Amino acid sequence: MHTHADQTLLVLASGSPRRRDFLSQLGLTFTVSAADIDETPHPGEEARAYVLRLAREKARVVAARSPGTWVLAADTTVALGMELLGKPQSPDEARQMLSRLSGKTHDVFTGVALAGRHEEALAVHTRVTFRALSAAEIAWYVSTGEPVDRAGAYAIQGKGGFLVASVDGSPTNVVGLPLGETLALMERAGVPLAWKR
């Protein structure tokens, strides 16, 4: 039998330092328990459906081993047209991705799922337009090491901010956790927030 106090425990099902920082800045107390799942897209799967599926799977995996808690999970992907651009595995792959994004508008989708007494999930969409980038700019940015292991090969909150001409929608979504929408989701579910205690 779990007491109400157990239900206040929040678990972040993500190893992402950016997501940890966001939750800490909001005064939330939480533990981290990353979920290791297969992130291969299904054939023909659209970006919104893909990030929602992965966020739900991550939340369920961690909730199964963390009874009596709220589990928050998220997954972010970049889409250029119908193609999903995941995390580049090498500097060369990062260079190719950035060349393709140069001067174009792409879509960033984050799926957010909360599992506990019940499950809630949502997906947030932001449109990001890149400046036209020179080969030298791309080469310099890749040489910083920042693009590897970032969806779409860039970090808008880091050195990669110079790549971006404009953002239409939630800026925190592009970093990996749409804060306003995530807080609304937690509030609806009854997760205790710092200003509600």
Side-chain angles (χ1 to χ4, degrees), residues 61-176:
V61 164
V62 174
R65 62 181 186 231
S66 314
T69 63
W70 285 108
V71 176
L72 180 69
D75 191 82
T76 302
T77 197
V78 168
L80 185 60
M82 290 300 292
E83 190 185 350
L84 303 186
L85 302 182
K87 297 172 181 173
Q89 300 305 306
S90 68
D92 201 48
E93 198 183 340
R95 196 171 1 282
Q96 288 167 14
M97 270 188 202
L98 292 165
S99 300
R100 294 179 59 206
L101 294 171
S102 173
K104 296 194 182 86
T105 298
H106 62 270
D107 301 284
V108 179
F109 288 90
T110 300
V112 181
L114 189 65
R117 282 167 282 192
H118 53 275
E119 187 184 292
E120 297 225 20
L122 55 80
V124 178
H125 171 216
T126 303
R127 290 177 68 75
V128 178
T129 303
F130 266 24
R131 296 167 45 244
L133 307 172
S134 70
E137 284 175 319
I138 291 172
W140 174 82
Y141 183 52
V142 171
S143 78
T144 68
E146 191 176 81
V148 175
D149 210 36
R150 311 273 181 151
Y154 72 99
I156 194 171
Q157 77 284 11
K159 297 177 184 74
F162 87 96
L163 308 168
V164 177
S166 67
V167 175
D168 180 13
S170 163
T172 54
N173 183 45
V174 186
V175 182

Side-chain angles (χ1 to χ4, degrees), residues 10 23-29 183 186-187 191-197:
L10 179 66
L23 295 185
S24 297
Q25 285 163 14
L26 292 170
L28 292 166
T29 305
L183 286 172
M186 292 166 76
E187 209 159 354
V191 178
L193 301 169
W195 49 89
K196 293 233 158 167
R197 289 188 185 125

